[in-house]
Amino acid sequence: LTREKCPEQCKPDGGAVCAISDKGARGNYANACEATLQGARVLHKGKCLAASNCNRRGFRVCATAANGVETQY
């Protein structure tokens, strides 16, 4: 879904999605179009269930796989 394909005002259909903002924060959006228009990348359908367990300390890194699953490496 790209910004160019979203209408200026998103229709209230499609259902809620969990998305990650350009600043790395996960958040709930009314639909994928709303998330995209706000510059977020959709992770999955439905609300965000858990906070990210990735942190900024240590040598471990957090990555989001192509399927939207966050993993620590």
Side-chain angles (χ1 to χ4, degrees), residues 3-60:
R3 290 182 189 197
E4 295 79 28
K5 292 186 179 182
C6 287
E8 286 186 30
Q9 288 188 330
C10 297
K11 295 179 182 177
D13 57 354
V17 296
C18 177
I20 189 164
S21 72
D22 57 352
K23 294 180 181 178
R26 290 171 55 149
N28 296 309
Y29 294 84
N31 55 47
C33 187
E34 179 184 304
T36 301
L37 287 175
Q38 292 186 29
R41 185 171 51 90
V42 176
L43 297 174
H44 57 80
K45 292 181 180 181
K47 293 186 176 185
C48 298
L49 300 176
S52 172
N53 58 2
C54 299
N55 61 45
R56 298 175 193 252
R57 298 180 349 202
F59 294 103
R60 296 183 66 77

